[in-house]
Amino acid sequence: MPRIAPAMKTAITEKPRRRTQEERSEAMRKRLLAATLESLAEDGYAGSTLSSIVRRAGVSRGAQVHHYPSKQALLLDASEDLLKRTYRRLGTLLLSISEEDNRLQALVDACWEQMFATPLYRAYCELVAASQRDEELAQALGAMLRRVMALFEPAANYYFETSGTKLRPADMFLQLSCLLSGLGLQATLLSKPVIRSQLDGWVRQASPILRARKGITSPPPRPAAWDRVLETAG
Amino acid sequence: MPRIAPAMKTAITEKPRRRTQEERSEAMRKRLLAATLESLAEDGYAGSTLSSIVRRAGVSRGAQVHHYPSKQALLLDASEDLLKRTYRRLGTLLLSISEEDNRLQALVDACWEQMFATPLYRAYCELVAASQRDEELAQALGAMLRRVMALFEPAANYYFETSGTKLRPADMFLQLSCLLSGLGLQATLLSKPVIRSQLDGWVRQASPILRARKGITSPPPRPAAWDRVLETAG
DNA sequence: TATGATACAGTCCAGACTGTATGTAAATGA
DNA sequence: TCATTTACATACAGTCTGGACTGTATCATA
């Protein structure tokens, strides 16, 4: 049916203010990605249907299909977004650590609280599980994992040093990340004290061989990859 | 339409041998459960539809609905079955360890190979992820985890002793299990050398404080819960 | 061996999901 | 200001899922 009276929106919205196409696209994609990660965390991979995602984002089905031709495409981009968020979170975390007294304990606690006991990590678990049957997703997540590890490694070696072992700080923290992954996966099945004791246990066990370098109060040098991600993150 | 010529099956099957009702039910349930766990590992939670499960089991839709009124019921029973399988696997594993020279390394390797780098663990991951949105499943898995831990704890304290730390062997092995969980979750995303180095790293790090008790060659005393499960396992 | 209970098979249906096709509003640029 | 492209909205088609339902074979028992 042609020609329906328009000019109602302008009456409702305060300042409809013209947005450039690119702004509109970016904002829409942002909403979709955020909703996708939310949905992955809350509803799981299976429960994250396109309908539920667009409902969560408060947009129409058409918007999604316009920006992402397939569900696969949306999830792949959401994985990328997950990487960026993780990067940023890790960055602020490492910065805050530099001021702490007991850096090891603070780092472990902060990693747990802010990275593994979070909805974002739940979303990651869902994606990892799904990547078992999705080669493309596996590729993306694998690359993501390597990049985060590559970011974390110099920071670990910058803040800490090992003694009496062949392992470098980065190796120790890789172990820590595996431990936290396992804890995070089963966090809802384990009691709080068990988790607490595991975190403390690791710190107690690692502290004799893992010392914070003295006189290091400034943040570690950011690798180039970091800034590249941060700037494209919007 | 009534009365179709029967007596064809007897011609085909060698010995149709009367099976008791209970035998039939048990056999059918066994097939369904095995197919469910297989499907969880291979197709994931979302991909494990009833149709795919019964196809995998080679039975009809009706058989499934007869034994399990809902999909939920089937999955809950499959979780139970997963527990029993894990129990048994852990049992044989612990037995085999008793003969090894370097028990710690052997135990870690065996746990990894036979418990975490397996389809059964993949199925577990799928169930854990799903349990995030299924209170009943979470209950079942939580109970299962506690029972396995309760089984493992005395065995760990029986084979090993700690020195120079407040942690008991069981605490160390709980840490190990979390580590292996994390590794197992991301096994397909990590390279073999990384996994290998993590396993070896843990052993190297734990061996100074975790010693195998001398003169222990017999298997640990089985807790009552163990036999209870083993006998009902069929 | 007759009768009721149990085990299993096959089909149907309402709902949900993804992808597509088509229509409308907003921005761009000449 | 108008044509064109881009952004978004809605309706629909085809497929699949889980549960309900009906029918048949097998077993237990009196």
Side-chain angles (χ1 to χ4, degrees):
Chain A
M1 295 301 118
R3 309 298 133 72
I4 306 175
M8 217 163 110
K9 262 204 166 156
T10 39
I12 299 171
T13 59
E14 286 276 328
K15 272 190 175 179
R17 206 215 124 216
R18 313 275 277 194
R19 287 184 305 167
T20 173
Q21 297 275 53
E22 205 167 343
E23 283 174 333
R24 291 175 63 180
S25 288
E26 182 131 352
M28 177 59 78
R29 262 191 274 260
K30 215 168 192 170
R31 295 178 70 176
L32 281 170
L33 291 178
T36 303
L37 290 179
E38 262 179 48
S39 179
L40 279 171
E42 284 183 30
D43 307 330
Y45 187 86
S48 292
T49 70
L50 289 175
S51 320
S52 85
I53 291 173
V54 298
R55 195 182 322 125
R56 198 181 279 270
V59 304
S60 80
R61 193 69 209 310
Q64 167 264 308
V65 77
H66 177 69
H67 292 283
Y68 299 101
S70 70
K71 188 180 181 180
Q72 168 86 337
L74 174 58
L75 286 172
L76 276 177
D77 205 27
S79 305
E80 191 71 20
D81 194 43
L82 178 62
L83 164 66
K84 289 177 187 167
R85 286 165 186 259
T86 307
Y87 249 66
R88 264 174 288 172
R89 204 167 279 191
L90 185 55
T92 59
L93 189 153
L94 287 174
L95 283 178
S96 72
I97 292 306
S98 65
E99 302 167 350
E100 290 290 335
D101 279 345
N102 185 351
R103 276 192 205 160
L104 193 55
Q105 181 80 51
L107 184 60
V108 169
D109 286 355
C111 278
W112 172 248
E113 301 279 351
Q114 295 172 37
M115 301 201 59
F116 288 90
T118 64
L120 212 58
Y121 179 71
R122 296 244 67 86
Y124 174 72
C125 285
E126 295 289 337
L127 288 173
V128 170
S131 78
Q132 227 65 29
R133 263 92 37 194
D134 185 331
E135 183 55 36
E136 214 172 342
L137 192 55
Q139 291 287 335
L141 288 175
M144 165 177 167
L145 204 53
R146 280 189 295 277
R147 283 160 74 184
V148 170
M149 277 165 55
L151 169 64
F152 196 81
E153 186 167 327
N157 292 330
Y158 178 83
Y159 276 130
F160 295 92
E161 60 187 350
T162 49
S163 63
T165 176
K166 269 172 274 180
L167 300 171
R168 291 182 315 143
D171 298 320
M172 298 287 297
F173 284 114
L174 184 53
Q175 180 186 78
L176 173 64
S177 84
C178 288
L179 184 71
L180 293 179
S181 294
L183 279 176
L185 174 66
Q186 305 167 100
T188 54
L189 303 180
L190 297 168
S191 65
K192 297 251 178 192
V194 166
I195 294 176
R196 190 68 258 165
S197 85
Q198 281 297 308
L199 297 180
D200 295 344
W202 190 87
V203 170
R204 209 164 343 150
Q205 187 186 332
S207 48
I209 54 178
L210 197 59
R211 266 205 318 270
R213 288 182 197 276
K214 288 171 183 167
I216 303 283
T217 53
S218 55
R222 297 184 174 195
W226 185 328
D227 289 319
R228 216 180 312 130
V229 165
L230 289 180
E231 79 196 12
T232 61
Chain B
M1 295 302 118
R3 309 296 131 75
I4 306 175
M8 216 163 114
K9 261 202 167 159
T10 40
I12 299 172
T13 58
E14 286 275 327
K15 272 191 176 180
R17 206 215 126 213
R18 313 273 278 195
R19 287 185 306 168
T20 173
Q21 296 276 53
E22 206 169 342
E23 283 175 333
R24 292 175 61 179
S25 287
E26 182 132 351
M28 175 59 79
R29 261 192 274 261
K30 215 169 192 171
R31 295 178 71 177
L32 282 170
L33 292 177
T36 303
L37 289 179
E38 263 179 47
S39 179
L40 279 171
E42 285 183 29
D43 308 330
Y45 188 85
S48 292
T49 68
L50 289 177
S51 321
S52 86
I53 290 174
V54 298
R55 196 183 322 123
R56 197 181 279 271
V59 303
S60 79
R61 196 71 177 47
Q64 167 265 308
V65 78
H66 176 67
H67 291 283
Y68 298 101
S70 71
K71 188 180 181 180
Q72 166 85 335
L74 174 58
L75 286 171
L76 276 178
D77 205 26
S79 305
E80 192 69 21
D81 194 43
L82 177 63
L83 163 66
K84 289 177 187 168
R85 287 165 185 258
T86 306
Y87 249 67
R88 265 174 286 172
R89 203 167 279 192
L90 186 54
T92 59
L93 189 153
L94 287 174
L95 283 179
S96 72
I97 292 307
S98 65
E99 301 167 351
E100 290 289 337
D101 279 345
N102 186 351
R103 278 193 204 159
L104 192 55
Q105 181 80 51
L107 184 60
V108 169
D109 286 356
C111 279
W112 172 247
E113 301 278 351
Q114 294 172 38
M115 301 203 57
F116 288 89
T118 65
L120 211 59
Y121 180 70
R122 295 243 68 86
Y124 174 73
C125 285
E126 295 290 336
L127 288 173
V128 170
S131 79
Q132 226 65 30
R133 264 90 39 193
D134 185 331
E135 184 54 37
E136 215 173 340
L137 192 56
Q139 292 286 335
L141 288 175
M144 164 177 167
L145 203 54
R146 279 190 296 277
R147 283 160 74 184
V148 170
M149 278 164 54
L151 170 63
F152 196 82
E153 187 168 326
N157 291 331
Y158 178 83
Y159 276 130
F160 296 91
E161 60 187 351
T162 48
S163 63
T165 177
K166 268 172 275 179
L167 300 172
R168 291 182 316 143
D171 298 320
M172 297 286 298
F173 284 115
L174 183 53
Q175 181 187 76
L176 173 63
S177 85
C178 288
L179 184 71
L180 294 179
S181 294
L183 279 176
L185 174 65
Q186 305 168 99
T188 55
L189 302 180
L190 297 168
S191 66
K192 297 251 178 190
V194 166
I195 293 176
R196 190 68 258 166
S197 85
Q198 281 298 307
L199 296 180
D200 295 343
W202 191 85
V203 170
R204 209 166 341 156
Q205 187 186 332
S207 46
I209 53 178
L210 197 58
R211 267 204 317 271
R213 288 182 198 276
K214 287 172 184 166
I216 302 281
T217 54
S218 55
R222 297 184 174 197
W226 185 328
D227 290 318
R228 214 181 312 129
V229 165
L230 289 181
E231 79 195 11
T232 61

